[in-house]
């Protein structure tokens, strides 16, 4: 909790190098400025919530991937697929951008070169510079990078299911999909809901590196999320007090969302994570 002492700078007109006792106390000025309409907080919140909402909608993808892969009978193929799909998680976002730039660049990107040589298009497609599809492009990038790694948790959850349940289902004549529906899915639902609750609590913290490296003048309007905005205001424009106030706001909202999501889970499923 020690770093939380830095929150005090949000209530002062902070000037670097001046002792806090000599700083001018301004109270809630920067919190009011945040929602006064002068700042860019509302478009930034729109982008942040939109990307987080799309991420929550795609949260079943690792579950589906894990279930389908566990149905593969070849152990060697299973391990190869797990390894290959987990590798992108260990690639830095700078290299991820380099990979996608290589494939989707308007000048010599692999995709545009193939499509133009085949005569399917006359003008190159600006995939990374199209603001209309920026949210969905980033959703695809995030899924490519994180699906394999996210599925590892569900592999462990599936491995922890009592195998006697599957043996009993075989005796009762249940098929493959019947066992998935009545044993596998109920067995991993607790894990899914815990991760879902954590995802809801982090709706305002959907990452910095991904959106920072993929931002460009054409997509800035759609890819400026709260984390990049705080960095731009605090580090690049030296608005330390204002960026600290936004950080406090983000933390308070995250804790509030987690509390309400936890209570909703307790009411609906009679289970909670704290």
């Amino acid at each position: 909790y020690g770093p939380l002492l830095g929150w005090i700078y949000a209530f002062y007109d902070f000037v670097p190098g001046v002792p806090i006792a000599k700083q001018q106390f301004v109270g809630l000025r920067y919190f009011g400025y945040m929602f006064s309409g002068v700042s860019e907080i509302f478009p930034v919140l729109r982008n942040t919530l939109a990307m987080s909402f799309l991420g929550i909608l795609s949260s079943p993808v690792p579950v589906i991937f894990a279930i389908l892969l566990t149905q593969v009978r070849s152990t060697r193929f299973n391990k190869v697929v797990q390894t290959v799909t987990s590798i992108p998680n260990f690639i830095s976002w700078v290299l991820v951008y380099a990979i996608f730039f290589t494939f989707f660049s308007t000048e010599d990107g692999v995709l545009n070169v193939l499509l133009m040589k085949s005569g399917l298009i006359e003008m190159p497609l600006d995939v990374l510079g199209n603001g209309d599809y920026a949210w969905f492009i980033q959703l695809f990038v995030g899924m490519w990078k994180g699906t394999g790694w996210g599925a590892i948790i569900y592999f462990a959850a599936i491995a922890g299911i009592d195998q006697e349940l599957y043996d009993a289902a075989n005796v009762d004549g249940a098929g493959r999909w019947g066992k998935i529906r009545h044993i596998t899915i109920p067995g991993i639902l607790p894990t899914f809901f815990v991760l879902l609750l954590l995802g809801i609590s982090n709706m305002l913290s959907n990452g910095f590196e991904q959106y920072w490296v993929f931002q460009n003048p054409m997509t800035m309007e759609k890819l400026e999320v709260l984390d990049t905005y705080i960095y731009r205001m605090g580090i690049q424009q030296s608005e330390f007090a204002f960026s600290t106030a936004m950080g406090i706001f983000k933390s308070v909202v995250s804790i509030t969302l987690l509390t309400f999501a936890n209570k909703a889970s307790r009411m609906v499923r009679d289970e909670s994570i704290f």
Side-chain angles (χ1 to χ4, degrees), residues 72 101 149 175 209 215 256 271:
V72 176
F101 184 82
W149 181 254
E209 293 89 350
Q215 281 181 3
T256 304
E271 294 182 7

Side-chain angles (χ1 to χ4, degrees), residues 262-271:
N262 187 71
K263 288 184 177 179
S265 175
R266 185 179 301 170
M267 293 173 60
V268 175
R269 301 175 53 248
D270 198 26
E271 294 182 7

Side-chain angles (χ1 to χ4, degrees), residues 141-208:
V141 173
M143 290 174 58
W144 174 80
K145 193 174 190 296
T147 296
W149 181 254
I152 292 178
I153 299 176
Y154 297 106
F155 289 137
I158 293 173
I161 297 176
D162 190 354
Q163 294 299 313
E164 292 184 358
L165 296 175
Y166 292 103
D167 296 336
N170 289 329
V171 173
D172 292 338
R176 177 178 299 183
W177 297 110
K179 288 185 285 187
I180 291 176
R181 177 183 177 184
H182 296 289
I183 300 177
T184 304
I185 293 179
I188 63 178
L189 273 181
T191 302
F192 174 77
F193 278 111
V194 168
L195 295 179
L196 180 63
L197 292 180
L198 295 177
I200 293 174
S201 68
N202 288 322
M203 287 189 68
L204 296 186
S205 302
N206 49 9
F208 169 81

Side-chain angles (χ1 to χ4, degrees), residues 75-270:
T75 304
R76 178 177 298 178
F77 178 80
N78 193 309
K79 291 182 178 179
V80 170
V81 173
Q82 287 187 40
T83 302
V84 172
T85 55
S86 299
I87 288 176
N89 179 74
F90 302 98
I91 301 176
S92 70
W93 278 110
V94 175
L95 292 180
V96 170
Y97 175 77
I99 293 172
F100 277 82
F101 184 82
T102 301
F103 279 91
F104 300 109
S105 171
T106 56
E107 297 181 0
D108 54 359
V110 175
L111 176 65
N112 283 313
V113 170
L114 293 177
L115 292 179
M116 293 183 70
K117 285 186 177 181
S118 62
L120 296 177
I121 59 174
E122 297 181 357
M123 298 294 294
L125 301 175
D126 191 6
V127 177
L128 300 180
N130 192 329
D132 295 334
Y133 302 100
W135 289 347
F136 301 100
I137 295 298
Q138 294 310 306
L139 175 64
F140 170 76
V141 173
M143 290 174 58
W144 174 80
K145 193 174 190 296
T147 296
W149 181 254
I152 292 178
I153 299 176
Y154 297 106
F155 289 137
I158 293 173
I161 297 176
D162 190 354
Q163 294 299 313
E164 292 184 358
L165 296 175
Y166 292 103
D167 296 336
N170 289 329
V171 173
D172 292 338
R176 177 178 299 183
W177 297 110
K179 288 185 285 187
I180 291 176
R181 177 183 177 184
H182 296 289
I183 300 177
T184 304
I185 293 179
I188 63 178
L189 273 181
T191 302
F192 174 77
F193 278 111
V194 168
L195 295 179
L196 180 63
L197 292 180
L198 295 177
I200 293 174
S201 68
N202 288 322
M203 287 189 68
L204 296 186
S205 302
N206 49 9
F208 169 81
E209 293 89 350
Q210 176 181 358
Y211 303 101
W212 184 257
V213 299
F214 277 92
Q215 281 181 3
N216 56 63
M218 286 78 71
T219 61
M220 176 69 74
E221 183 182 356
K222 293 296 184 68
L223 295 185
E224 181 79 294
V225 296
L226 197 57
D227 288 329
T228 60
Y229 183 61
I230 291 175
Y231 173 82
R232 183 160 62 86
M233 296 300 295
I235 303 300
Q236 294 186 336
Q237 300 187 21
S238 300
E239 296 287 346
F240 301 109
F242 180 55
S243 60
T244 303
M246 287 190 293
I248 294 175
F249 166 75
K250 185 180 74 169
S251 299
V252 171
V253 171
S254 298
I255 294 173
T256 304
L257 288 173
L258 178 60
T259 302
F260 279 104
N262 187 71
K263 288 184 177 179
S265 175
R266 185 179 301 170
M267 293 173 60
V268 175
R269 301 175 53 248
D270 198 26

